[in-house]
């Protein structure tokens, strides 16, 4: 029974009370876990927060241990919740989950990227956001096995391709930075919307593309360390 963590601006602000100088996403994730358990009336003793193991940036090995400490210090039953340290690519769950996770990042990232190319030039305000929301629902159904993936992708693409636009010069702004922040409107306070309202066109990088960019450097590092 997997749940997506709840997160909004209030979650981010409340999470600062848990932070004593660590990477901000760490406390934001823990606060999201607490909020989700409370909002959905879950039993903390039967709830487990999934966190990736890894030796990437941000001192990830610290995350699971400190997350458990934060849950215990919060109390109110949250000390009974556990932290599950899983493989970053979910391989111990299933190779199929690994593949589907990659495609979820890939297709979701493309929806955001293409939406940013269309939204500033749409003739009907709000049409792009509605198409993205509908496309996301279609792709979700495909991942749940309710419709063929290829047809779902084609349908989502048609929704975006049918939006009438009027091109005019705009400055292009690329978003760089922390993975947790740059594509997270709750954490970055709707950065994309702010840039577009100021007259810019946003360039985003799907997470699947980001993995391709950094993979060769990490593979080289791990080979030198003997981490085959």
């Amino acid at each position: 029974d997997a749940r997506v963590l709840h997160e909004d601006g209030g979650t981010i602000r409340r999470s600062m009370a848990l932070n004593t100088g660590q990477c901000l996403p760490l406390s934001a994730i823990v606060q999201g876990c607490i909020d989700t358990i409370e909002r959905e009336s879950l039993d903390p003793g039967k709830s487990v927060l999934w966190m990736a193991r890894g030796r990437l940036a941000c001192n990830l090995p610290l995350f699971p241990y400190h997350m458990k400490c934060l849950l215990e210090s919060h109390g109110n039953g949250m000390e009974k919740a556990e932290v599950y340290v899983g493989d970053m690519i979910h391989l111990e769950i299933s190779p199929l989950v690994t593949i589907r996770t990659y495609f979820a990042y890939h297709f979701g990232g493309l929806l955001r990227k293409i939406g940013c190319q269309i939204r500033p030039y749409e003739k009907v305000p709000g049409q792009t956001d509605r198409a993205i929301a509908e496309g996301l629902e279609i792709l979700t159904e495909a991942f749940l096995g309710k419709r063929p993936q290829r047809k779902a992708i084609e349908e989502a693409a048609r929704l975006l391709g049918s939006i009438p636009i009027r091109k005019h010069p705009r400055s292009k702004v690329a978003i760089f930075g922390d993975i947790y922040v740059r594509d997270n409107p709750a954490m970055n306070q709707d950065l994309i919307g702010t840039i577009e309202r100021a007259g810019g066109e946003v360039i985003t990088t799907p997470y699947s593309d980001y993995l391709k960019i950094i993979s060769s450097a990490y593979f080289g590092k791990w080979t030198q360390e003997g981490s085959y």
Side-chain angles (χ1 to χ4, degrees):
D1 179 14
R3 313 286 180 101
V4 177
L5 292 185
H6 170 77
E7 184 175 79
D8 56 26
T11 304
I12 302 298
R13 288 190 293 273
R14 287 191 298 277
S15 75
M16 295 302 100
L18 303 175
N19 196 281
T20 55
Q22 299 80 25
C23 186
L24 295 181
L26 189 158
S27 50
I29 292 169
V30 173
Q31 187 65 55
C33 174
I34 294 168
D35 287 0
T36 303
I37 290 173
E38 291 178 346
R39 283 167 62 96
E40 302 187 19
S41 301
L42 303 177
D43 179 356
K46 296 181 180 178
S47 301
V48 178
L49 172 63
W50 182 92
M51 183 61 208
R53 77 167 58 88
R55 291 186 293 150
L56 304 177
C58 297
N59 196 11
L60 280 182
L62 165 74
F63 273 46
Y65 170 77
H66 194 61
M67 284 174 164
K68 177 60 178 172
C69 290
L70 289 176
L71 289 169
E72 289 178 349
S73 63
H74 183 275
N76 299 318
M78 296 301 162
E79 69 278 3
K80 298 177 183 177
E82 297 293 342
V83 178
Y84 171 73
V85 187
D87 194 287
M88 184 169 283
I89 60 173
H90 313 288
L91 197 59
E92 89 283 11
I93 299 174
S94 164
L96 186 59
V97 175
T98 302
I99 295 167
R100 287 183 172 175
T101 300
Y102 173 82
F103 281 124
Y105 280 124
H106 184 60
F107 298 143
L110 286 177
L111 271 181
R112 177 181 283 110
K113 183 176 182 178
I114 296 168
C116 288
Q117 294 172 345
I118 297 173
R119 192 186 301 105
Y121 309 103
E122 62 188 6
K123 290 184 179 180
V124 181
Q127 189 172 2
T128 305
D129 287 338
R130 289 192 292 272
I132 290 173
E134 190 175 343
L136 196 58
E137 287 293 328
I138 291 168
L139 290 174
T140 300
E141 288 184 0
F143 281 113
L144 291 172
K146 295 179 179 179
R147 63 169 73 197
Q149 252 185 43
R150 186 182 181 89
K151 289 185 178 179
I153 296 162
E154 291 172 350
E155 194 172 337
R158 276 196 298 272
L159 286 171
L160 290 168
S162 64
I163 298 172
I165 60 174
R166 184 186 297 109
K167 279 284 185 178
H168 50 275
R170 275 181 174 249
S171 298
K172 294 189 177 183
V173 183
I175 297 178
F176 295 90
D178 184 271
I179 293 172
Y180 191 82
V181 176
R182 64 184 185 194
D183 287 336
N184 185 338
M187 190 71 161
N188 65 33
Q189 298 176 305
D190 189 26
L191 178 59
I192 290 176
T194 301
I195 292 170
E196 290 178 349
R197 287 189 293 272
E201 176 192 332
V202 174
I203 300 172
T204 65
T205 305
Y207 188 48
S208 52
D209 287 357
Y210 175 74
L211 289 176
K212 293 174 183 175
I213 292 169
I214 68 169
S215 61
S216 59
Y218 273 106
F219 289 156
K221 175 177 179 291
W222 291 333
T223 299
Q224 291 176 3
E225 294 174 348
S227 302
Y228 305 119

